[in-house]
Amino acid sequence: IFGSLLLFGGRAADLLGRRRMFLTGLGIFTVSSFASAMAGTAGALFAARAGQGVGAALLSPAALAIIMSSFQGGRRAKALAAWGAVGGAGAAIGVLVGGVLTEFTDWRMIFYVNLPVAAALAIAALKIIPADTRKPRWKGLDLRGAVLATTSLGAIVFAITQAEGAGWTSIQTHVFGLGGLAGLAAFAALERRTDTPLLRVERLVDRAVGGGLFLMLAVTGSMFGLFLLSSLYLQNVLGWGPLSTGLAFIPLAVAAGVGAHASGHIVSKHGVRGPLAGAFLVAAAGMTLLAHVGENGSYVRDVLPGMLVAGLGLGVAVVSVSIAIL
């Protein structure tokens, strides 16, 4: 839900107002967090989590657009570096606090804790972010494109996540997977015939845009995959609890934050291409270290070195790619 609605969230921020959509997304995310905490069934929890995805999809592009419009030139690169560093710090805090709450209280607290944080963010946003001067413009939201993109991406994700149970060669996997791909092709064709498209498909041939988006896919896929697989290894193989696992991720998030902070200075002096290539090489070295961790490995000797190296490289890469695209 989050990923497939980001295009629509960005367009809504452009037409309806960046601060308005930031606060609207924050409100939806907060209400959905409360609903997640109160959920009594798995279906209710899934629905509330989908609501969180909707709120985040409206909130996230509006936040980045506010940063881009508030800073220019060299200050923009530093602002993006700070944005990336804060993201690394947030990842560390989130994993740690989530581990503490899960270990010593009820799992529902990981949703309740969002409520006071969101209230503080709303107050800060009203005081700090400039008010939207333009009136909301509803024409040009491209709802058809948003529905088609969301449905197609959702079908592809459903096919992949259910393939192990249904079978990779099953009719279900083929129908949803191929149907999702066909839907994306139809989305591209629709966008080329739309006056105000969500995505200008022809811009993807630009190396900075199309190549940058491909690299961003590699960076974020590596980062999320690193978090997921390391969590499974620490808990299911080494037998660690949620709190210990949360503490184990702090060095990774700190390394990513340091890399993000440093990238702004590096890019301003040396451009994007060299630091970006170096960042991917460093990240690959870290992943290589982690690829050799065995079932009898230890955190300090086997997991931590790869985490630090990969986190540093990915932290530099995510900000460098953002600067290149934006």
Side-chain angles (χ1 to χ4, degrees), residues 292-309:
H292 290 85
V293 176
E295 61 179 313
N296 297 317
S298 70
Y299 170 72
V300 174
R301 184 184 70 249
D302 300 307
V303 179
L304 181 59
M307 275 188 169
L308 292 174
V309 175

Side-chain angles (χ1 to χ4, degrees), residues 64 67-68 71 75-85 260 263-264 319 322-324 326:
L64 187 55
I67 293 176
M68 292 299 295
F71 299 93
R75 297 181 64 211
R76 177 178 290 180
K78 293 180 180 179
L80 287 172
W83 164 72
S263 65
V319 175
S322 300
I323 294 173
L326 297 172

Side-chain angles (χ1 to χ4, degrees), residues 29-41 44-45 48-49 52 106-115:
F29 185 87
T30 305
V31 172
S32 300
S33 295
F34 181 74
S36 298
M38 297 294 292
T41 64
L45 179 60
R49 289 285 285 164
Q52 283 187 309
D106 185 66
W107 63 267
R108 299 176 188 272
M109 286 300 297
I110 67 175
F111 297 110
Y112 280 126
V113 76
N114 291 340
L115 306 184

Side-chain angles (χ1 to χ4, degrees), residues 95-96 98-103 235 240-249:
V95 174
L96 176 59
V100 171
L101 294 175
T102 306
E103 183 111 345
Q235 294 185 76
W240 288 19
L243 175 58
S244 300
T245 302
L247 290 170
F249 273 100

Side-chain angles (χ1 to χ4, degrees), residues 111-170:
F111 297 110
Y112 280 126
V113 76
N114 291 340
L115 306 184
V117 174
L121 279 175
I123 294 172
L126 290 171
K127 290 185 176 181
I128 296 173
I129 301 175
D132 298 308
T133 56
R134 294 181 179 180
K135 293 183 179 180
R137 295 169 293 159
W138 296 97
K139 185 178 180 181
L141 282 175
D142 190 16
L143 293 178
R144 293 185 306 170
V147 170
L148 187 55
T150 301
T151 304
S152 301
L153 288 171
I156 293 172
V157 171
F158 180 82
I160 294 173
T161 56
Q162 302 301 309
E164 184 176 357
W168 286 97
T169 59
S170 67

